[in-house]
Amino acid sequence: MTVTIDPERAVEIRPGVWWVGWPDYDAGFSNNPYLIVDGQEVVLIDPGSRLDVHWAWVKKKVESVVPIEKITMVIVHHQDPDLCAAIPLIEEAVGVNNFEIVTTERTALFIPYYGVKTEVTAIGDGEYMEIGESGRELHFITSPYLHFPGAFVTYDKKEKILFSSDIFAGFSIDWSLFANEYYMEAMKVFSQPYLSDQRPVRNFLRKVRGIEIEMICPQHGSIIPKDKVQEAIDTLWDLEVGVWE
Ligand SMILES: [Fe+2]
Ligand SMILES: [Fe+2]
């Protein structure tokens, strides 16, 4: 599926779920924040970098759907700057403690290092939240060592989307919003140096094996549609990781 990317407009990937990211064709490194709007609940997942050039994309895209000050929740799957550095800019727009930051306890330790003053809600493995008017369930699944001890992913039960953070992520010069025929290679190029050991990879894949997944939304690379989900899982299961010497 080819999608024309308008720098100022979010792309609705499922009803009520938008891609609000930015491609970086030169570096082959796209960044993929996502937005969920469910009634009054406005959730931004892994908001990203605070660089003007990056945040301008995300902010404009969010605002093509909903005013930025309407954000009620920010989910950050680990503490890297490509997820978290923009949180102080969200505080400027929304107000300190006027929205909720959701992450694990280990990650919560580092969020204030970005100058973030908003309190953090720590979640644990298997916990979930009901949000919005629909009572949409967001389930949290920890993914230790992929690629941080406190990392986790979020499963949106309503749309059956796995927001997978750096798992299933890809480096690709020929980036497209939805995974093309080269994406498994792109995923290997990212995963082999980023994921250091096969055991946590397989432990995580066992955890998500029983979940019905219609779409995987990683934080880099391309969105993996239903017809490529099993291939992506199999590719990661068999992948030799930790090979960077
Ligand atoms: Fe990361
Ligand atoms: Fe990342």
Side-chain angles (χ1 to χ4, degrees), residues 78 80 82-83 147 166 194 219-220:
H78 56 283
D80 276 350
D82 54 334
L83 292 75
H147 62 104
D166 284 337
Y194 261 81
Q219 195 233 335
H220 307 288

Side-chain angles (χ1 to χ4, degrees), residues 3 20 39 50 59 72 74-75 79 82 87 93-94 167 169-170 179 192 195 206-207 224 228-229:
V3 177
V20 291
R50 63 173 293 127
K59 187 165 181 275
T72 54
V74 171
I75 298 175
Q79 82 291 347
D82 54 334
I87 300 176
V94 184
I167 311 168
Q192 286 192 307
L195 308 180
R206 281 188 198 99
K207 278 191 190 181
I224 302 170
K228 289 191 171 67
V229 165

Side-chain angles (χ1 to χ4, degrees), residues 49-62:
S49 156
R50 63 173 293 127
L51 282 180
D52 289 344
V53 62
H54 296 153
W55 179 242
W57 276 75
V58 178
K59 187 165 181 275
K60 278 188 179 153
K61 286 186 174 174
V62 170

Side-chain angles (χ1 to χ4, degrees), residues 38 128-138 158:
D38 196 313
Y128 70 98
M129 286 181 176
E130 286 182 19
I131 65 156
E133 286 164 9
S134 71
R136 177 189 217 114
E137 290 180 20
L138 297 180
K158 184 175 184 193

